[in-house]
Amino acid sequence: MAPKLLEGLRIADMSMMLFGPYCTQVLADLGADVIKLEPQGGDQARGVGKPVKTRGMGALHMNLNRGKRSVVWDTRSEEGRRAMEALLKTSDVFIHNIRAKAAERLGLDYETVRRIKPDIVYVHCVGFGSGGPYESLQAFDDVIQAGSGLASLATRVDGDPQPRYVPTAIADKVAGLHALYATLAGVIHKLRTGEGQYIEVPMLESLTSFTLLDHLVGYAFSPPTGPMGHAHQLDPSRRPVRTKDGYVSIAPYAPARWIALFEAAGHPEVLENLDLRQSGQPGVGSLLNTGLAQIGPERTTEEWLALCQEHEVPAMRVNSLEDLFDDPHLKAVGFLRERRHPTEGGYIEVQPPVKFSARPTPEIEPAPLVGQHSEEVLRELGL
């Protein structure tokens, strides 16, 4: 059997909840040996989503920590410290989200760890970058959405002064992907030079970078040439179109496509007196979107999709979360797969979205019970 893409790479993972574990989930999917060090009661993420049979085997954990091995060692005890030191000596990467002072007290700060393993790639998942006044503050997804400006974006769309959170753990997941590429870059650097390094991945800076990329706009220049905020994305008329039986997203976003769409729909009058060369401008875009919204209920969702496909206009039905199980594309590619867990029974595994031609997608091991691999890993380490 061909080796997995990251086979042979060992990750000592002491991260908890979502930020760090989202990074190591992908590493495990790619074949890295991720050894997850948990407290006695297990990672708090195990409690998110009601378990079916076993305490600590909640819905989030079943996908977030799949393919990892779980160990429970008390790193404050002599035996736990010996086990931790032995694991670090055999690991390529150490990743955690313990605050700096607590890591020092545990003897898990970078200087101590690199004395154990000089070429370790040490990835520290933090809320805020070091050197700033927020450095020692606790961070949760809501807090980072607030600090990054993301929670304020909806107020620019509808004028409601109440900021709102994006209803998903976007800060944790965006920062987790930053931690993922940072880890792989550190490993590549190590393979080229033999050097390890300390890598800091801050949530606030990660999500602020993500938010500002398209919303910096006029403030990208000094002095500013205009306001912040991408006008097209903040246009309140930019929303799914109501149809006869549901909602559909239609995105013409080019003069030729707007013309083709309204003419095919039998409403060329919407285009009268509009300069489509300015279709990217908020005023013109709003008029086009408003015109589309007005004629949307004339057809069913399927009829709009067929019309758009015929005229090469990007469009997609608006799925609910439940609809994803019946989406014909996701079903065809096997994106949501039903599997059997050795102790928890049937569950749905979300498949890795990226495919590699050099290796088929490997079979992913199920999520572990708390401390399931403690003895196994100790034996491997000769303890």
Side-chain angles (χ1 to χ4, degrees), residues 215-229 281:
H215 283 294
L216 199 57
V217 196
Y219 274 60
F221 301 96
S222 183
T225 58
M228 296 184 77
Q281 298 300 315

Side-chain angles (χ1 to χ4, degrees), residues 305-360:
L305 290 173
L307 186 72
C308 288
Q309 187 171 358
E310 181 184 349
H311 294 278
E312 298 186 342
V313 175
M316 182 62 60
R317 72 175 50 80
V318 176
N319 282 329
S320 68
L321 295 177
E322 293 78 9
D323 290 337
L324 297 176
F325 284 87
D326 295 316
D327 183 276
H329 178 84
L330 296 180
K331 287 178 79 170
V333 299
F335 186 67
L336 297 171
R337 179 184 174 198
E338 187 166 354
R339 293 191 64 186
R340 299 289 300 177
H341 190 279
T343 62
E344 306 310 297
Y347 72 103
I348 300 298
E349 183 179 85
V350 180
Q351 297 303 292
V354 179
K355 296 179 181 178
F356 298 88
S357 66
R359 295 286 183 274

Side-chain angles (χ1 to χ4, degrees), residues 10 33 35 69 90 375-383:
R10 173 168 281 183
D33 180 17
I35 299 176
R69 296 197 284 171
T90 67
E375 294 301 320
E376 175 183 293
V377 174
L378 285 174
R379 285 194 299 272
E380 287 179 14
L381 298 173
L383 298 176

Side-chain angles (χ1 to χ4, degrees), residues 8-63:
L9 187 72
R10 173 168 281 183
I11 315 289
D13 179 11
M14 213 168 176
S15 65
M16 299 291 164
M17 284 305 290
L18 192 50
F19 174 5
Y22 189 54
C23 165
T24 56
Q25 177 215 306
V26 180
L27 294 170
D29 285 352
L30 294 173
D33 180 17
V34 178
I35 299 176
K36 182 175 176 63
L37 294 97
E38 302 192 66
Q40 193 66 43
D43 186 346
Q44 284 180 298
R46 288 176 172 273
V48 178
K50 188 177 179 182
V52 174
K53 293 183 179 179
T54 309
R55 185 176 180 181
M57 298 297 287
L60 177 62
H61 168 71
M62 295 293 284
N63 273 289

Side-chain angles (χ1 to χ4, degrees), residues 134-321:
Y134 305 158
E135 179 179 3
S136 61
L137 297 181
Q138 286 184 297
F140 290 91
D141 197 276
D142 294 357
V143 171
I144 301 302
Q145 286 199 43
S148 68
L150 186 67
S152 74
L153 287 181
T155 69
R156 292 173 176 256
V157 175
D158 58 20
D160 182 344
Q162 174 69 54
R164 276 147 282 170
Y165 302 126
V166 176
T168 185
I170 192 168
D172 278 281
K173 289 183 281 188
V174 166
L177 293 176
H178 280 272
L180 173 63
Y181 78 69
T183 300
L184 293 174
V187 169
I188 292 170
H189 175 79
K190 175 181 171 177
L191 292 172
R192 286 175 172 170
T193 66
E195 298 173 351
Q197 63 179 299
Y198 173 85
I199 299 172
E200 180 181 84
V201 186
M203 287 180 75
L204 178 66
E205 288 87 327
S206 295
L207 192 61
T208 304
S209 167
F210 180 85
T211 303
L212 284 182
L213 186 64
D214 47 349
H215 283 294
L216 199 57
V217 196
Y219 274 60
F221 301 96
S222 183
T225 58
M228 296 184 77
H230 191 295
H232 166 67
Q233 293 180 8
L234 298 176
D235 185 343
S237 70
R238 176 180 171 255
R239 58 178 62 195
V241 175
R242 184 170 186 171
T243 67
K244 193 178 287 186
D245 60 353
Y247 288 88
V248 64
S249 171
I250 302 176
Y253 301 155
R257 285 177 175 158
W258 281 115
I259 293 169
L261 179 64
F262 282 116
E263 289 184 346
H267 289 280
E269 75 280 358
V270 176
L271 303 171
E272 291 176 6
N273 304 318
L274 288 180
D275 182 358
L276 291 188
R277 291 172 298 177
Q278 303 297 318
S279 60
Q281 298 300 315
V284 176
S286 293
L287 289 171
L288 291 167
N289 287 334
T290 300
L292 190 54
Q294 288 171 348
I295 66 174
E298 294 179 359
R299 287 174 165 79
T300 66
T301 296
E302 287 303 320
E303 288 169 342
W304 275 115
L305 290 173
L307 186 72
C308 288
Q309 187 171 358
E310 181 184 349
H311 294 278
E312 298 186 342
V313 175
M316 182 62 60
R317 72 175 50 80
V318 176
N319 282 329
S320 68
L321 295 177

